[in-house]
Amino acid sequence: MKIYLIAAAIGSFAYYLLLCFYTRKWNSTFARFWIVCGIGHLGLSILPYGEVLAAVLKIFIVAVWLIFLLTEGKICLAMRRNQKKVYGYLIVLGAQIRGVRITNSLKRRLDTALEYLSEHPDTIVIVSGGQGKGEDIPEACAMADYLKKHGIESERIVIEDKSTSTRENLKFSARYLEDRAQPIGIVTNNFHVYRALQIGKQEGYTDLYGIAAGTNGVLFLNYMVREFFAIIAMRIRKNR
């Protein structure tokens, strides 16, 4: 088992360095997890332990991997549910902007929304996102400007500019809906669709459909693992 632990440690450190090189940051979102992961696996590989402890450790690792793979499987399945259904409303979930500039993740969401909106001219779009650290304007305002510049009429755009989380995105957007039971599309990046749909159901939406935008290939693994922990946290909070 030690060789697998060492391999996992090396892989974690290597991926962290790749993230640093690609983003040109040492502390990009969730990146330091890979340092912790590498140190943890390396520590486990050099710890002296007997047969009993080794057996317990194996059971623990297998259990963690089963939970992880089951959750990741649900995330991947949700990515494929991009049904070509007509929605009266499309909710585009916000993501970080830098100043007033649209970031890559948010651009992917907006471009996916544009494709749908151009094919369904009667659909109203709700852009949802407040103003966070390092943002000069609310995300929703930047999103609305982007859609307008690409041909979407202002009359079709509803701006929800107070939310600071996925839950608030969906809770505050519901104020602009006539009925949460009608078919509604949610546009977000593929790794985020499953959690968004689960939160939407918790907030009273009964006929939700995910429309998955793409994700940067280098960052995809980082986002997928981060999403696992976000889903676990969501479930823990729900059960309290």
Side-chain angles (χ1 to χ4, degrees):
M1 185 173 65
K2 286 188 177 182
I3 190 170
Y4 296 110
L5 292 170
I6 293 173
I10 293 172
S12 297
F13 291 135
Y15 187 57
Y16 172 72
L17 293 175
L18 174 62
L19 290 174
C20 292
F21 176 79
Y22 185 80
T23 63
R24 299 181 182 179
K25 295 180 181 179
W26 295 100
N27 60 345
S28 58
T29 303
F30 198 69
R32 282 176 287 192
F33 163 81
W34 298 99
I35 297 178
V36 175
C37 184
I39 292 173
H41 280 88
L42 193 60
L44 288 173
S45 71
I46 61 177
L47 277 178
Y49 40 79
E51 291 183 5
V52 174
L53 185 57
V56 171
L57 182 60
K58 286 180 181 180
I59 293 171
F60 174 76
I61 292 175
V62 169
V64 170
W65 269 105
L66 285 175
I67 295 171
F68 176 77
L69 292 175
L70 178 62
T71 304
E72 293 294 316
K74 291 180 178 180
I75 294 172
C76 291
L77 285 175
M79 295 178 188
R80 302 178 62 182
R81 295 173 187 169
N82 189 352
Q83 301 185 28
K84 295 296 183 180
K85 191 168 184 174
V86 178
Y87 313 113
Y89 288 88
L90 201 66
I91 301 174
V92 185
L93 304 185
Q96 184 183 33
I97 61 174
R98 295 190 177 93
V100 297
R101 184 170 63 85
I102 297 291
T103 53
N104 180 267
S105 289
L106 186 53
K107 181 179 183 300
R108 290 171 183 266
R109 299 182 187 188
L110 291 168
D111 287 342
T112 299
L114 280 169
E115 182 180 351
Y116 183 90
L117 292 168
S118 64
E119 296 174 357
H120 302 86
D122 295 327
T123 298
I124 301 297
V125 59
I126 301 174
V127 288
S128 178
Q131 184 173 349
K133 184 178 179 181
E135 299 177 336
D136 295 340
I137 60 174
E139 294 164 5
C141 294
M143 295 161 73
D145 289 342
Y146 185 91
L147 293 177
K148 290 174 187 176
K149 288 178 181 177
H150 289 79
I152 303 301
E153 302 87 348
S154 58
E155 293 78 13
R156 297 178 64 193
I157 303 173
V158 176
I159 297 175
E160 185 289 295
D161 60 358
K162 303 300 181 185
S163 57
T164 59
S165 66
T166 300
R167 186 170 298 278
E168 290 185 353
N169 286 150
L170 293 164
K171 180 183 293 185
F172 297 166
S173 293
R175 298 171 182 173
Y176 301 97
L177 301 172
E178 299 171 2
D179 182 8
R180 296 190 198 190
Q182 64 182 301
I184 297 169
I186 297 179
V187 181
T188 188
N189 299 101
N190 49 18
F191 64 87
H192 187 232
V193 170
Y194 175 75
R195 181 160 59 97
L197 292 176
Q198 296 304 305
I199 292 174
K201 291 175 183 177
Q202 293 173 8
E203 291 299 321
Y205 294 80
T206 59
D207 200 13
L208 283 178
Y209 298 87
I211 301 179
T215 303
N216 182 292
V218 175
L219 304 178
F220 182 69
L221 176 60
N222 190 51
Y223 288 143
M224 286 288 285
V225 175
R226 184 186 69 175
E227 197 65 13
F228 166 76
F229 289 103
I231 290 169
I232 297 299
M234 176 189 72
R235 290 173 177 167
I236 292 173
R237 285 194 295 267
K238 179 185 176 183
N239 294 328
R240 283 179 177 174

